[in-house]
Amino acid sequence: GAVVSQHPSWVICKSGTSVKIECRSLDFQATTMFWYRQFPKQSLMLMATSNEGSKATYEQGVEKDKFLINHASLTLSTLTVTSAHPEDSSFYICSARARDFRDTGELFFGEGSRLTVL
Amino acid sequence: KQEVTQIPAALSVPEGENLVLNCSFTDSAIYNLQWFRQDPGKGLTSLLLIQSSQREQTSGRLNASLDKSSGRSTLYIAASQPGDSATYLCAVPGGYNKLIFGAGTRLAVHP
């Protein structure tokens, strides 16, 4: 199947700093990537849809100035948590759909990035 | 608004048992349904994708069925093994490429 890679897999930072998380599609091009957030023992909640070459579309209640999303190429989307606070500590997961012969409607997910803000 | 519910929330069974995990959704107008596995602290691994025109899909010891009219899907795990221990999530499309997830079933298979 198609491979999605996230980096870093975990990060610890001080309150007030910014953290960038990368999401890459390794063997396919992804015009659209999705960022999810997951709290402990809860399901995934979609934060935003990242569109290559254009602005991201944020879900209701998600602060666009807090969670900056950039999708500069067909294989890379980044999520930057700005001025992070302890309540931003969470597990962030990206996903993408393969826009080629493997396009069956299936979404592929990265391994996730655990953010801990002290 | 689409809502996805998974029952049971948690399940603990001895090795070798056959299991059934349930997923229900409120809006039957879906074009596919996906089952995922999530290990603790990890991302999601896609297990099975069922298109709306299909009734079931099989992969090894896993079999997923879909009944759109009743808004239900089941994931059947045959001859469970300790390595099957994980959280199992079902998800349906909630818009263009968006997925709506259930809360998951946490499965523990003990030797």
Side-chain angles (χ1 to χ4, degrees), chain B residues 22-38:
Chain B
N22 299 291
C23 172
S24 62
F25 43 95
T26 55
D27 186 349
S28 62
I30 60 171
Y31 54 87
N32 64 38
L33 181 145
Q34 219 169 328
W35 281 94
F36 295 90
R37 168 182 173 145
Q38 185 176 31

Side-chain angles (χ1 to χ4, degrees), chain B:
Chain B
K1 178 183 177 183
Q2 179 73 274
E3 293 182 1
V4 180
T5 304
Q6 289 188 246
I7 295 173
L11 189 60
S12 180
V13 299
E15 181 176 7
E17 281 202 6
N18 299 322
L19 310 172
V20 177
L21 309 182
N22 299 291
C23 172
S24 62
F25 43 95
T26 55
D27 186 349
S28 62
I30 60 171
Y31 54 87
N32 64 38
L33 181 145
Q34 219 169 328
W35 281 94
F36 295 90
R37 168 182 173 145
Q38 185 176 31
D39 291 288
K42 300 292 186 180
L44 274 64
T45 300
S46 180
L47 297 174
L48 291 164
L49 171 71
I50 310 176
Q51 302 291 355
S52 60
S53 58
Q54 300 172 318
R55 283 201 170 269
E56 64 178 68
Q57 278 281 7
T58 298
S59 176
R61 294 182 293 107
L62 304 179
N63 176 276
S65 66
L66 175 63
D67 184 343
K68 274 187 59 178
S69 60
S70 66
R72 294 179 182 179
S73 176
T74 60
L75 178 66
Y76 178 80
I77 303 176
S80 59
Q81 302 171 359
D84 294 330
S85 299
T87 296
Y88 291 82
L89 299 161
C90 71
V92 297
Y96 180 70
N97 281 335
K98 299 178 182 179
L99 288 182
I100 306 298
F101 284 86
T105 294
R106 294 187 301 279
L107 173 64
V109 181
H110 48 85

Side-chain angles (χ1 to χ4, degrees), chain A:
Chain A
V3 180
V4 176
S5 174
Q6 276 186 248
H7 179 80
S9 55
W10 60 270
V11 58
I12 300 173
C13 69
K14 293 181 178 180
S15 184
T17 61
S18 294
V19 175
K20 179 185 287 187
I21 301 170
E22 294 186 346
C23 176
R24 294 180 184 273
S25 53
L26 297 185
D27 55 352
F28 67 98
Q29 293 183 336
T31 55
T32 306
M33 290 183 174
F34 305 88
W35 287 95
Y36 289 83
R37 182 174 182 176
Q38 185 179 34
F39 290 105
K41 296 187 178 181
Q42 294 187 26
S43 193
L44 282 72
M45 297 299 294
L46 180 65
M47 297 174 65
T49 302
S50 170
N51 303 297
E52 188 270 334
S54 64
K55 292 182 178 180
T57 303
Y58 290 81
E59 296 299 301
Q60 189 173 9
V62 178
E63 301 176 58
K64 60 180 67 176
D65 294 331
K66 175 73 168 178
F67 300 98
L68 300 180
I69 292 173
N70 182 274
H71 195 151
S73 77
L74 289 173
T75 60
L76 173 64
S77 175
T78 61
L79 168 67
T80 301
V81 182
T82 62
S83 186
H85 288 93
E87 58 265 30
D88 298 325
S89 299
S90 188
F91 194 55
Y92 295 89
I93 308 177
C94 70
S95 73
R97 178 173 170 173
R99 290 291 187 186
D100 56 19
F101 65 93
R102 289 162 293 189
D103 188 4
T104 61
E106 188 173 5
L107 286 177
F108 299 93
F109 284 76
E111 279 294 299
S113 300
R114 180 161 302 283
L115 170 64
T116 301
V117 184
L118 303 178

